[in-house]
Amino acid sequence: MRSLERHRNILDFAISSLLRRKGKNISLLALYTLVVALVASLIFFVQSLKSEAALLLQEAPDIVVQRLMAGRQDLISTRAVEQIAALRGVTSVTPRYWGYYYDPVFGANYTMMVTDDESLAPQEAMLGAGVAKNQRLLAGDMFSLRKTDGMPLLLTVNKIFSRDSELLTADLILLTKDDFTALFGFPRETATDLAVTVANPDEIGTLAGKIAEIVPASRPIMKSEILRTYDSIFDWRGGMMVAIMVMAISAFVIFAWDKATGLSAEERREMGILKSIGWETTDILLLKFWEGVAVSLTAFVVGTIIAYCHVFFFSAGIFSGALKGWAVLYPDFRLHPAISPYQIAVIFFLTVFPYTAATIVPSWLAATIDPDTAMRS
Amino acid sequence: MVITIRNSSKFLIFTSLGFCVLLLLALHAMVANGQVHPVAIRNSALVKRLRLTDLCLFTEARYTRHPSMADLHAPFQEHPAALEHFPSGSLVMPIRPRRSH
């Protein structure tokens, strides 16, 4: 009980000591909180994007078969459909017709895709909310795309996908097969790639190997590879993670440097006075420890709360600029919260520990010198 | 009578409140994850119906729009010495090598 009271007394003194240098410590706390909020936002954002991708892409085709020509992806012959469908274990093989359309007026790239949806009539299109917003279109409006022969292809908006699906459909334009063929002059009996459904998920790897053997120059992409792509895009070694982590670590290095290069004359004098009135070196170290804990714990708690609100209530506004790049169309999506104790522990160890350690070391060096020297310095 | 609260008590109350808010947020995340979201169900159905393979995150270039469908060296295929020139290309790390067939 006495030990607890001693710690409380020292904590009282530590907070009073911090409040005596209010201006410096509040600005330090604000900056520290900002760095914690940035690191935590990134960790939350990346983790929830990963889990969103893992959840949604579970329904992606089991295998996508592409054809390669001179090392590049080329159109695949639809004759391969029969060959693949004949393999034991394959449930269905569906040609996918898709490509990109650059709109020179709006400077945007659209993903054009054929759908077998029966509610879509010829000369009609279904649009993603991003495309509709970009072109200011509503259901029933008409718009035109430029065909390869230079003639316009007039299309009526049949439906606009809801904003909830923007993470999948923001730049999507769905057309009928005939309109797609007319727009791009797409060769007959070819498809962009083939989507294969497999009865037993354990056989996907074996079937992918067989497909690669029976269809010359083909590249089967398994669902596990699709999922792994999104796992590795937002890996901690990924570009964005590294860029922001390096900035955050640099900020911590500056904090630590500021602390390690010595205490201010006022702080040294304070230590000298405390030692001369009977404080032990351990008491002074405890005082500095509690000062560090008070600052870093406050920054951790406030920074993590700000990060959660930023990512899950305000759609991670800071990162959207970085993700947009030069793209004109960018999905406006709200992520589902996905946080784990592991993430919180990572944030805690990345932020609280380095600062507290950086506070203790120079204080120990200063606290071991003679009080008279400390007061005169 | 004036009651003065010790600085340490103020700090402990503030930190405890902060941890309570963090706990509530964690609870919010758990509840939100535990619920079967109609939006997630609709979106999963859309992926299945349209046979989609990628999220629409970066629409700048084909290899950033559909990273799972792109070649490993897609950014460098414009010409042999081409440099990556799309900002999102610097955010997307190269995908791990696929197994050889």
Side-chain angles (χ1 to χ4, degrees), chain A residues 5 8-9 12 16 66 72 96 100 109 164 167 171 208 219 222 230 232 308 326 329 331 337, chain B residues 6-9 28 33 42-43 51 54-56 59-60 62 65-66 69 71 77 85 91 93 99:
Chain A
E5 196 53 35
R8 279 199 67 183
N9 288 336
D12 276 333
S16 308
Q66 293 180 338
R72 283 169 172 250
R96 295 199 315 155
Y100 303 103
N109 279 316
D164 295 334
L167 194 54
D171 71 335
R219 180 172 69 177
M222 296 184 294
Y230 280 87
S232 61
Y308 190 93
W326 293 350
L329 291 181
Chain B
R6 290 171 65 173
N7 278 339
S8 57
S9 305
H28 170 254
N33 265 329
R42 272 204 303 274
N43 283 345
R51 299 177 194 91
D54 287 88
L55 298 184
C56 175
T59 60
E60 287 176 303
R62 60 198 158 89
R65 172 63 180 91
H66 292 97
M69 296 289 108
D71 305 322
Q77 287 189 345
H85 52 266
L91 301 178
M93 75 172 291
R99 71 183 176 79

Side-chain angles (χ1 to χ4, degrees), chain B residues 3-52:
Chain B
I3 302 168
T4 48
I5 304 173
R6 290 171 65 173
N7 278 339
S8 57
S9 305
K10 284 183 199 165
F11 173 71
L12 290 175
I13 292 168
F14 174 78
T15 318
S16 309
L17 278 177
F19 275 105
C20 284
V21 174
L22 271 184
L23 212 67
L24 284 176
L25 291 179
L27 213 66
H28 170 254
M30 265 175 65
V31 170
N33 265 329
Q35 284 171 345
V36 184
H37 266 278
V39 172
I41 294 172
R42 272 204 303 274
N43 283 345
S44 293
L46 197 68
V47 171
K48 191 171 187 174
R49 187 160 57 85
L50 299 178
R51 299 177 194 91
L52 301 178

